Amino acid sequence: MSTVDLEVKPTSSGPRGAANAAPRGHRLGIGDPLFRVLATVCGITVAVAMFGLAGVLIYDSWPAITGLGTKMLTTVAWSPSQGEYGALAALVGTALSTLVAMVIAVPLALVIALLLVELVHPAVSRVVGTAIEMLAAIPSIVYGMVGLFVIVPYVQDHLVPWLLTTPLANVPGIKPGLQFQGGGLSIFTAGVVLAIMVLPFITAVSRDVLKMVPQVTKEAGYGMGSTTWEVMRKISMRYANSGIVGAVFIGLGRALGETMAVAYLIGSVYTDLPRSLFDPGTSIASLIANQFSEATRTLDLSALIELGLILFVITVLFQIAAQAWLRRVQRVTGGRA
Amino acid sequence: MSAVPGTTSPAAALRRRSVGRRKATDITVKVFSWIGAWFGIVAMGFLVYEVVIRGAVAWNWAFFTQSTPQDVTSTAGGFANAIVGTFAVTGVAALMAIPTGFLGGVYLAEFGRNGRLAMAVRMIANVVMGVPSIVVGVFAFAILVKPLHHYSGFAGSVALAFIMLPVMARTTEDILNLVPNELRESGLAMGAARWKVTLGVVCKAARGGLITGATLAIVRVAGETAPLLFTALSSPYWLTGLFGPSGFFGGPVANLTKTIYDFSGSPYPHFQTLAWGGALLIIVAVLGMNILVRLIFQRGKEW
Amino acid sequence: MKKSARSWRLMLLVAAVLAVAALAVAVAGCGGSSTTDASGTPAPAISGFTPAPMTADTILGAGASFPAPLYMKWGSDYNGVAGVKLNYQSIGSGGGISAIEAKTVDFGASDAPLEQTELEANGLAQFPMVVGGVVLVVNLDGVADGQLKLTPDVLASIYMGKTTMWNDASITKLNAGVKLPASKINVVHRSDGSGTTWIFTHYLTDAAGSIWTAGADKEIPWPVGIGGKGSEGVATSVQQLSGSIGYVEYAYAKQTGMTTTQLQNKEGAWVKPSIASFTSAAKNADWKASLPSMYMVLVNQPGQATWPITGASFILVQKDQADASRAKTMFTFFDWGYSNGATAATSLDYVPIPASVYDLVEKQVWPTLTVSGTPVWP
């Protein structure tokens, strides 16, 4: 709707009287279109920036893409001095550490969101909710440092030795693999810290989404004699389903790309696939962070940039999937969900 | 058959038994909820506590006035040059990203709205927000460090600006969307130019949220390490000038996060202490700004 | 309605064209070639980017973490003496080599010397700056500094993953009277390309070649072990993980009070790491024969008191320097380091390069370095 053509008689508001002589329509010749163009250009910049990023990454990883073909995705070890550029160890490590993080964070977040929405006084809910949201504000190096100096010795000296005395020690996935070095610097430690890092995102969104469930519906459930948990599980979560899934996607994206905390904690073993949660491994992001300064030859640098491209593609795909999911559900539920 | 249907049949007996189970489940979940919430709070408190305990020791006058030590045997030195460097790098990034992001958000909220281009921009912005910051660092390296054969604080700023841009745009859009349309209509009905209405009326009404959004975007980016790893690198010296080897465009620039990363990996206790001191500074700044900004601008509103 | 709608679309078009044009100009001005020049031809002055007049007061170096404590101390001392600043980034030998090849630094530092062919291919010159020792550090309760005894065979076996427990017979046999726990040996190595790794793996190949089969390079596919970034990372990891063993430059071990081990050298004698033992290794090396590349491997040298894992750390510079003033500043600093840096070196337990070797460097290597044809030094 444009009102620029309305012929409004200028009001004589004192000092601007003379300037108001001409009809409004003419005076707006430059200001509005210029503003609109400026805003549009800035809007487009965001899109251009992303395509620029993708383009530069592809361009700079081209020597590796043509030189290695698909070998990067099928080789395990990353060992440039031996001419091996395998991303498989990093991919598996990324997947495992993210999995550990999600398995810990999602139920925890849901249960905390339940508490914030149903179980406590709104004022308490605000304080507790803010405290948990503040977890998101802590920079990842701090997580890495506290992890390294506090959690690593604990896992190494107490948790893993104890765990190995229990029957769990023989469960595949916990049973130490060849690369096991005590478990302090391992997929597990990295996953636990990642879980704490993504917790606030999932909690905050879940809480917001759960709050939007109509009170009437919940009360209907309570009126039938349902317990709090039953109302949450059968009513609230059905309503909030898509929002929660969206929250999980957000947390997932964050965990996939986390660099610093993982670089501190995952053990940096590039040569083998981890056979256990307590084996050290590597992730794509931490591999790039560790190896980037030493790319000696063009192919080395190119291969690392290709790794960056792979990570970029993975996160973009996840984001697109998340967006598509959210939009589909919004269409089905007709708006707020 | 009893007088009240359904109270003595086997089905009723079943229901009575399962009530106990349902209650048990409910209580278990509630217990877990409380444990979970306490875990979250304790984690938060623990993190802050550890950093405070280990970092407060480092905070003295030297910490804030001297540059980073180079001699591994020294017990002197501070983080002053890193602090200045972070201000510079983040400041320039903000100069680039905040206005652009703001105007982009204005476009999305006011002009594009649900048009095809705006939807595309919105979706791309959401996607870019999920790109790992290390990838952004690699990108900045590829366009600004490799071709020019030197590291620079400016390359770091570009990487940070890239991260800030979509955040600022989407935040602006969300805030502006909250302003009721009546405000816009009344402004336009007065005959004011569209741009005047947008800037002078709508944005003015939303300025609390906008300032919050901008501040939080800047503060979030100030704590990033990965984008600076191969762009601004780090330096033991003060930022001097623009184009010299210690200059903003000419060479590596000291910054808090990379310096903390370097020092925390050092086995020398003094350097480790300095690293914790830097980490404490970041936490105080980031958490402090978060809380401050919410207190000032969102008093009374839902958090 | 139509007129202003047309006008804003027109303006959008004009703005787009201008933006693209500006972008093109910027790219052309700043970009030039955007791929690393692997052939190493000297880069032309960066077009479109005019730095302010060089004040030549900062030297930018990057590379090995092995000599990093020393270079940083020299930088700090030299700053007091001449006001020149040294910015040394400890990113690993591999990083130093790639940085000097990419010309993002004034000098690179590497403990793994380059062969003549690679030097020539990249237009680089190299010379040794300091000698130091690589030591093993362990984190074991009840084991004192310099107490634990290891042979090259046992060490190789540990790093191959063949010996996995601290109380393995092969270790206890050497260490009667030391209480070794019945726990797993946690192995720590470097995660980045490292000259320290190069020295260490060359030693294992040389002294225990029948057991050590994983190669000798700046970076190898380790059979076992966790990777730490830089010698600092290895030291910190060993500090944090109980029951671990790692290899670091001696300065890191000494300055942090970590527990070092004894090694059995080529003569069969048990040695502890010390200046004397490193000097013993460096004394007999034939530097003259190593010209012009000065490629030298100092591991497993003869001598009763010799520490077997010794290595020289090298400086790499571009043969054709880009800026006369910066080159002069840099080489004055190196000269100072050779002539005046011995005290600092010994205080951190490095072995300074003997004057006779510096003489070789100054007379044989530095005269080959030029700025647009004229020699840089003197």
Side-chain angles (χ1 to χ4, degrees):
Chain A
M1 155 182 126
S2 168
T3 55
V4 292
D5 272 324
L6 280 179
E7 285 271 19
V8 178
K9 287 286 174 270
T11 55
S12 52
S13 40
R16 290 190 295 160
N20 291 342
R24 294 276 178 175
H26 291 301
R27 269 187 58 230
L28 297 174
I30 280 296
D32 259 6
L34 182 63
F35 183 63
R36 190 167 179 155
V37 160
L38 204 58
T40 314
V41 163
C42 287
I44 295 178
T45 307
V46 179
V48 165
M50 158 139 142
F51 287 112
L53 176 81
V56 166
L57 285 181
I58 295 178
Y59 178 73
D60 274 305
S61 58
W62 199 248
I65 297 179
T66 47
L68 300 172
T70 50
K71 272 208 297 205
M72 192 180 267
L73 297 172
T74 51
T75 320
V76 170
W78 180 272
S79 187
S81 63
Q82 314 288 318
E84 282 207 348
Y85 300 96
L88 208 51
L91 281 165
V92 168
T94 309
L96 279 180
S97 54
T98 308
L99 187 67
V100 170
M102 287 289 121
V103 161
I104 298 177
V106 172
L108 197 58
L110 286 177
V111 132
I112 295 179
L114 169 70
L115 180 133
L116 292 176
V117 173
E118 299 283 338
L119 297 179
V120 291
H121 190 273
V124 177
S125 166
R126 257 206 300 261
V127 170
V128 173
T130 310
I132 296 189
E133 274 173 39
M134 289 294 120
L135 279 174
I138 298 182
S140 42
I141 20 162
V142 174
Y143 278 102
M145 284 169 72
V146 174
L148 178 64
F149 288 102
V150 179
I151 301 185
V152 164
Y154 172 74
V155 173
Q156 177 92 357
D157 297 337
H158 302 290
L159 182 63
V160 171
W162 168 81
L163 199 63
L164 291 180
T165 59
T166 66
L168 280 176
N170 287 314
V171 173
I174 296 190
K175 181 156 173 217
L178 183 62
Q179 292 289 347
F180 179 74
Q181 298 295 337
L185 292 173
S186 63
I187 307 261
F188 174 76
T189 314
V192 164
V193 172
L194 272 181
I196 306 180
M197 292 176 82
V198 301
L199 183 71
F201 295 96
I202 309 180
T203 310
V205 178
S206 302
R207 181 196 57 183
D208 289 344
V209 148
L210 285 172
K211 261 209 279 233
M212 289 202 277
V213 176
Q215 197 65 14
V216 185
T217 321
K218 285 196 285 197
E219 283 173 7
Y222 286 122
M224 298 272 286
S226 303
T227 62
T228 316
W229 170 236
E230 281 166 357
V231 167
M232 160 96 167
R233 199 178 89 213
K234 297 188 175 164
I235 299 176
S236 301
M237 276 178 55
R238 302 248 167 123
Y239 255 90
N241 209 6
S242 73
I244 293 179
V245 170
V248 170
F249 269 116
I250 295 178
L252 196 68
R254 192 71 231 248
L256 279 176
E258 178 50 47
T259 312
M260 300 316 295
V262 174
Y264 272 98
L265 302 171
I266 203 165
S268 299
V269 169
Y270 312 137
T271 48
D272 256 320
L273 295 179
R275 297 272 180 336
S276 140
L277 287 181
F278 294 100
D279 280 357
T282 185
S283 75
I284 301 182
S286 68
L287 183 74
I288 297 177
N290 275 324
Q291 295 267 307
F292 206 80
S293 17
E294 339 153 348
T296 321
R297 297 150 291 190
T298 319
L299 188 59
D300 290 358
L301 189 63
S302 216
L304 277 169
I305 298 186
E306 189 185 341
L307 258 188
L309 182 64
I310 292 177
L311 185 60
F312 174 69
V313 167
I314 293 178
T315 44
V316 165
L317 286 177
F318 264 103
Q319 288 289 319
I320 294 182
Q323 301 273 318
W325 168 277
L326 283 172
R327 228 153 4 134
R328 192 198 72 163
V329 175
Q330 263 178 4
R331 257 206 311 271
V332 165
T333 62
R336 308 286 226 169
Chain B
M1 267 326 175
S2 74
V4 180
T7 46
T8 53
S9 63
L14 194 69
R15 272 200 302 276
R16 270 195 296 272
R17 274 207 303 275
S18 80
V19 164
R21 198 147 43 120
R22 286 166 53 211
K23 260 211 169 119
T25 324
D26 187 54
I27 293 186
T28 318
V29 172
K30 280 185 180 159
V31 166
F32 273 118
S33 289
W34 278 102
I35 295 179
W38 274 111
F39 175 77
I41 299 178
V42 165
M44 173 69 192
F46 179 70
L47 279 164
V48 174
Y49 169 77
E50 282 292 330
V51 177
V52 167
I53 289 288
R54 293 169 191 248
V57 180
W59 278 24
N60 52 26
W61 187 243
F63 183 80
F64 290 99
T65 51
Q66 291 180 11
S67 56
T68 47
Q70 271 202 293
D71 188 347
V72 295
T73 57
S74 103
T75 49
F79 257 53
N81 58 333
I83 298 173
V84 167
T86 294
F87 269 114
V89 171
T90 316
V92 170
L95 272 177
M96 292 195 281
I98 301 286
T100 319
F102 167 70
L103 283 173
V106 165
Y107 166 73
L108 286 174
E110 304 285 323
F111 296 115
R113 268 166 294 144
N114 287 320
R116 272 212 310 257
L117 180 61
M119 303 265 273
V121 167
R122 202 172 284 125
M123 174 157 140
I124 293 181
N126 284 335
V127 168
V128 173
M129 285 206 289
V131 171
S133 52
I134 185 122
V135 174
V136 176
V138 168
F139 165 69
F141 172 86
I143 57 167
L144 276 178
V145 176
K146 202 160 76 136
L148 298 181
H149 297 301
H150 63 75
Y151 301 97
S152 64
F154 180 64
S157 285
V158 166
L160 293 184
F162 193 95
I163 300 175
M164 261 201 270
L165 185 63
V167 173
M168 190 61 199
R170 292 287 280 114
T171 312
T172 308
E173 184 199 356
D174 288 343
I175 305 266
L176 290 182
N177 275 335
L178 289 176
V179 175
N181 262 334
E182 286 77 18
L183 232 60
R184 294 182 182 84
E185 287 169 5
S186 50
L188 291 169
M190 299 280 284
R194 187 74 186 275
W195 66 271
K196 263 212 178 112
V197 170
T198 310
L199 291 180
V201 177
V202 179
C203 290
K204 221 176 196 162
R207 75 174 173 282
L210 288 173
I211 297 181
T212 309
T215 313
L216 290 180
I218 297 178
V219 154
R220 163 184 153 167
V221 140
E224 288 277 351
T225 319
L228 299 177
L229 284 180
F230 343 112
T231 49
L233 218 66
S234 180
S235 162
Y237 298 112
W238 293 94
L239 179 63
T240 20
L242 282 181
F243 291 108
S246 282
F248 188 71
F249 292 97
V253 169
N255 57 84
L256 266 180
T257 45
K258 174 77 162 72
T259 309
I260 293 175
Y261 182 53
D262 288 341
F263 282 19
S264 63
S266 167
Y268 302 102
H270 176 62
F271 282 65
Q272 282 177 3
T273 313
L274 283 178
W276 284 108
L280 179 62
L281 183 61
I282 290 199
I283 284 210
V284 163
V286 171
L287 286 186
M289 286 309 277
N290 262 286
I291 296 178
L292 199 69
V293 134
R294 282 172 201 232
L295 276 178
I296 295 181
F297 291 106
Q298 300 200 342
R299 228 192 320 243
K301 292 198 197 142
E302 276 292 2
W303 284 33
Chain C
M1 181 90 68
K2 284 196 181 121
K3 196 152 70 161
S4 75
R6 257 212 312 274
S7 78
W8 90 256
R9 265 189 259 270
L10 182 64
M11 294 204 66
L12 182 62
L13 185 62
V14 169
V17 169
L18 281 176
V20 169
L23 197 65
V25 167
V27 168
C30 289
S33 72
S34 66
T35 48
T36 323
D37 202 346
S39 66
T41 52
I46 299 161
S47 59
F49 204 78
T50 321
M54 284 295 183
T55 50
D57 68 347
T58 307
I59 308 169
L60 190 53
S65 54
F66 180 95
L70 177 62
Y71 292 164
M72 287 167 69
K73 184 158 175 69
W74 275 353
S76 171
D77 292 347
Y78 192 59
N79 193 15
V81 161
V84 172
K85 303 186 245 185
L86 172 70
N87 185 351
Y88 183 76
Q89 302 276 341
S90 164
I91 55 179
S93 294
I97 295 174
S98 76
I100 189 65
E101 285 177 0
K103 302 186 185 79
T104 50
V105 290
D106 293 313
F107 72 87
S110 170
D111 313 320
L114 298 182
E115 310 241 16
Q116 182 63 11
T117 41
E118 197 175 345
L119 287 174
E120 277 173 10
N122 289 295
L124 299 172
Q126 120 186 310
F127 47 91
M129 201 70 213
V130 69
V131 168
V134 177
V135 302
L136 280 310
V137 285
V138 294
N139 182 340
L140 279 173
D141 272 333
V143 174
D145 186 27
Q147 193 182 18
L148 190 67
K149 288 186 169 137
L150 295 171
T151 61
D153 281 351
V154 168
L155 193 55
S157 184
I158 291 177
Y159 269 86
M160 283 297 288
K162 299 218 171 92
T163 306
T164 54
M165 303 292 281
W166 279 114
N167 62 346
D168 189 275
S170 58
I171 307 181
T172 49
K173 194 173 56 177
L174 305 164
N175 289 284
V178 180
K179 185 83 173 61
L180 287 166
S183 59
K184 190 175 185 301
I185 305 179
N186 293 316
V187 177
V188 183
H189 54 74
R190 292 284 291 271
S191 70
D192 47 336
S194 148
T196 319
T197 302
W198 190 90
I199 296 175
F200 184 62
T201 48
H202 264 95
Y203 165 69
L204 288 177
T205 313
D206 201 72
S210 50
I211 302 181
W212 179 254
T213 52
D217 205 336
K218 287 195 294 296
E219 193 203 334
I220 59 163
W222 294 93
V224 288
I226 290 192
K229 185 154 170 58
S231 280
E232 310 95 347
V234 172
T236 311
S237 296
V238 170
Q239 275 177 340
Q240 297 303 114
L241 296 174
S242 54
S244 54
I245 183 172
Y247 60 89
V248 294
E249 202 287 320
Y250 184 50
Y252 289 96
K254 181 119 180 286
Q255 295 296 331
T256 54
M258 294 180 80
T259 311
T260 60
T261 68
Q262 296 182 34
L263 275 183
Q264 192 173 46
N265 66 13
K266 196 167 185 178
E267 316 285 352
W270 290 104
V271 259
K272 292 188 187 173
S274 67
I275 289 265
S277 59
F278 307 150
T279 314
S280 174
K283 233 173 10 182
N284 304 312
D286 188 358
W287 287 101
K288 212 165 193 172
S290 71
L291 289 168
S293 68
M294 305 207 83
Y295 181 98
M296 177 74 70
V297 187
L298 281 177
V299 299
N300 222 15
Q301 295 286 322
Q304 272 293 104
T306 301
W307 177 256
I309 324 182
T310 318
S313 194
F314 296 84
I315 300 282
L316 296 161
V317 291
Q318 287 283 334
K319 263 198 142 135
D320 188 12
Q321 290 286 314
D323 181 282
S325 146
R326 284 188 86 121
K328 189 76 185 191
T329 311
M330 180 165 63
F331 284 95
T332 315
F333 167 66
F334 289 141
D335 174 59
W336 177 90
Y338 279 120
S339 322
N340 304 76
T343 338
T346 44
S347 77
L348 289 174
D349 290 289
Y350 290 90
V351 177
I353 292 282
S356 54
V357 183
Y358 174 40
D359 203 54
L360 270 178
V361 169
E362 203 188 355
K363 300 257 166 50
Q364 306 286 342
V365 178
W366 285 6
T368 63
L369 311 169
T370 57
V371 175
S372 339
T374 42
V376 164
W377 187 266

